[in-house]
């Protein structure tokens, strides 16, 4: 749960930065979202959907 909370905080901080390729600019938080989805799946498998949803609303 700590990694999930830290990833959300880092994602919000990185959202202000941009990652520029040759022809496209993306927010840097796009790098942390795959980690968030994997951790969210693991938490929902271990603790259940209700507890994971409560954690997500608590952090947000």
């Amino acid at each position: 749960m700590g990694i999930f909370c830290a990833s959300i905080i880092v994602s919000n901080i990185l959202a202000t930065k941009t990652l520029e390729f040759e022809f496209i600019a993306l927010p840097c938080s796009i790098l942390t979202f795959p980690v968030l989805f994997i951790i969210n799946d693991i938490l929902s498998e271990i603790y259940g959907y209700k507890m994971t949803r409560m954690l997500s609303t608590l952090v947000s």
Side-chain angles (χ1 to χ4, degrees):
M1 288 185 197
I3 295 171
F4 181 74
C5 294
S7 296
I8 288 179
I9 292 169
V10 169
S11 177
N12 286 332
I13 292 170
L14 288 177
T16 61
K17 312 276 190 248
T18 57
L19 180 65
E20 295 183 17
F21 292 111
E22 291 180 15
F23 58 91
I24 191 166
L26 298 169
C28 287
S29 62
I30 200 167
L31 302 173
T32 59
F33 280 121
V35 174
L36 283 170
F37 286 127
I38 292 170
I39 293 173
N40 196 13
D41 274 348
I42 292 170
L43 286 175
S44 65
E45 286 291 326
I46 294 173
Y47 296 110
Y49 178 72
K50 185 177 178 182
M51 183 66 108
T52 304
R53 195 167 123 201
M54 186 172 55
L55 175 69
S56 296
T57 56
L58 181 69
V59 173
S60 301

